[in-house]
Amino acid sequence: MRHGITLFTSDRGIRPDVAASTAESCGFDSFYVPEHTHIPVRRESVHPGTGDETLPDDRYMRTLDPWVALGLAAAVTSTITLGTSVALPLEHDPITLAKTIASLDHLSGGRVHFGVGFGWNAEELADHGVPPKKKRTALREYLEAMQALWTEEQASYEGDFVAFGPSWAWPKPVQQPRPPIFLGAGSTDRNFDWIVRHADGWITTPREDNVVDNVARLHKLWADAGRAGVPEILALAGRHDTEQLKLWEDTGVTEVIFGLPDRSQDDVVAYIDRLASKLDH
């Protein structure tokens, strides 16, 4: 089982390049960052963690661009995987985003993991022109169109939300036919069906309280659909718990991701070092 960290990047605290290089030197396998372009002040969308309009962390309003942050991390690392937990593709032009991700995968030597989400904040999505009730279909089309650009010499796509005629687009990602795609979402039947059809694995939510049973359920759906192998399972963890980690590994969790505290750079570097000392890399 791989071990990674996720940093809620913002304009304060530790920089993503420092966090990623520290994690790599301490033996971690992966480094993840989230995404929000903005947070509308007036909204009806409830935060899944608080259950109301309250934000649990003011870094939602201060989040760095994930691809700039990961590009910075790529420049100072050589082996650690660079991912999003999660990115919001529907807040981008898919042709431009495909170029950004292909460029990062090319320049990093094939180290990108593409964690995606539908987006809980309907008002944020609406400001980007995304109909909230169509976000699942739109995300599927975005990813299909991006993969066409990543794999085809003359790519084209025709959908309700994305359409372009025969086009050239390089660089292609090192990872073919695409960087691995993981959906970060709750363990609902609808979300698991989407993963089986359109992704390579699942990122749990911080509120997932039944990882073991839900991993088994996703494995069964995967096999029933005729998908080869097993899905990647990226489990978000709070504190280090040896027994829990062993149980997750035995169940089929392929990667555990630890969150970093919102503290000073020195404190976070020390935290990464202490966490690494507890893990069997």
Side-chain angles (χ1 to χ4, degrees):
M1 183 170 67
R2 302 184 303 272
H3 301 120
I5 62 170
T6 181
L7 172 67
F8 203 140
T9 46
S10 75
D11 58 356
R12 67 161 184 258
I14 192 168
R15 289 165 52 100
D17 53 336
V18 177
S21 61
T22 301
E24 182 175 87
S25 66
C26 286
F28 284 91
D29 301 294
S30 53
F31 175 71
Y32 294 87
V33 297
E35 177 170 35
H36 282 284
T37 55
H38 68 300
I39 301 293
V41 174
R42 292 188 175 89
R43 65 183 198 282
E44 296 181 1
S45 298
V46 299
H47 186 275
T50 63
D52 56 30
E53 296 179 29
T54 306
L55 295 172
D57 191 318
D58 74 337
R59 287 177 293 177
Y60 280 87
M61 301 176 283
R62 314 178 73 92
T63 312
L64 301 182
D65 178 277
W67 305 110
V68 173
L70 292 178
L72 201 64
V76 296
T77 60
S78 58
T79 60
I80 200 167
T81 295
L82 307 167
T84 47
S85 63
V86 294
L88 301 171
L90 295 179
E91 299 186 350
H92 298 267
D93 175 272
I95 300 173
T96 304
L97 183 58
K99 172 73 75 173
T100 296
I101 295 173
S103 298
L104 180 60
D105 201 60
H106 169 73
L107 293 172
S108 68
R111 292 191 279 143
V112 174
H113 279 185
F114 192 18
V116 303
F118 298 123
W120 62 266
N121 193 333
E123 290 79 8
E124 181 181 354
L125 291 172
D127 286 347
H128 289 281
V130 180
K133 293 184 179 180
K134 295 291 186 180
K135 60 186 180 182
R136 292 169 179 272
T137 300
L139 182 57
R140 172 183 59 78
E141 288 194 3
Y142 273 40
L143 295 177
E144 289 174 349
M146 291 166 69
Q147 184 165 327
L149 290 163
W150 290 335
T151 58
E152 299 172 14
E153 183 169 349
Q154 291 189 23
S156 60
Y157 189 83
E158 186 68 35
D160 293 332
F161 297 94
V162 189
F164 54 87
S167 303
W168 291 310
W170 275 271
K172 307 297 185 187
V174 172
Q175 301 174 95
Q176 286 290 319
R178 64 192 186 197
I181 294 173
F182 310 127
L183 178 69
S187 54
T188 65
D189 289 341
R190 192 179 185 194
N191 287 340
F192 277 7
D193 178 69
W194 197 96
I195 291 169
V196 167
R197 292 173 179 269
H198 309 300
D200 304 301
W202 174 42
I203 303 177
T204 71
T205 71
R207 293 158 299 283
E208 178 61 50
D209 59 2
N210 194 2
V211 170
V212 172
D213 288 347
N214 283 317
V215 169
R217 185 161 59 91
L218 181 54
H219 278 187
K220 183 178 186 306
L221 292 170
W222 192 270
D224 290 347
R227 293 285 302 265
V230 294
E232 291 280 329
I233 308 291
L234 284 59
L236 298 179
R239 64 183 180 85
H240 177 271
D241 184 326
T242 300
E243 291 185 6
Q244 181 186 67
L245 295 180
K246 182 63 168 64
L247 178 61
W248 283 0
E249 183 173 18
D250 292 344
T251 300
V253 170
T254 52
E255 185 170 339
V256 59
I257 305 171
F258 296 93
L260 296 179
D262 181 18
R263 297 177 190 164
S264 70
Q265 176 171 303
D266 289 346
D267 286 347
V268 174
V269 167
Y271 182 90
I272 295 172
D273 186 63
R274 288 195 303 272
L275 180 59
S277 69
K278 300 176 182 178
L279 299 171
D280 180 20
H281 292 295

